[in-house]
Amino acid sequence: MKTMVEIAHSFLSPALHRQAVCVDATFGQGKDTDWFVKRKVGKVYAFDIQEHLIERRKDDFQSHVRLIADSHASMGRYVKEDVDAMIFNFG
């Protein structure tokens, strides 16, 4: 049986391409951000209100991943382009 995360990833997969803009609205440990990166998308915005989680992983990603220590409720301040895929994974 597939997990809910696997089902969500399956649902999002068709929207992913080399120029895709993606949002991980709840960064946490960065698993969904990692998943987007492995699919070679164009850009990832990742949000978390816990700054220490962002700090811990900030050196793990290239420039096309933007880690943002702020609430996903504020994403309109950061994301100014159309989004192809977004995930909210509350663990």
Side-chain angles (χ1 to χ4, degrees), residues 2-3 7 15 19 25 30-32 51 53 76 79 84:
K2 285 187 176 185
T3 67
I7 292 168
Q19 291 80 37
K31 292 179 183 178
D32 291 315
E51 191 169 347
L53 296 175
V79 182
D84 296 283

Side-chain angles (χ1 to χ4, degrees), residues 33-76:
T33 296
D34 288 332
W35 183 79
F36 283 134
V37 168
K38 288 177 184 170
R39 273 128 198 96
K40 298 178 176 28
V41 300
K43 188 181 291 185
V44 180
Y45 294 91
F47 293 86
D48 206 297
I49 58 172
Q50 298 180 72
E51 191 169 347
H52 71 279
L53 296 175
I54 297 289
E55 283 297 314
R56 182 173 46 191
R57 297 285 317 268
K58 70 179 181 182
D59 295 329
D60 294 346
F61 299 105
Q62 296 176 354
S63 63
H64 70 288
V65 176
R66 183 159 178 216
L67 301 178
I68 302 162
D70 199 351
S71 170
H72 54 75
S74 302
M75 76 174 66

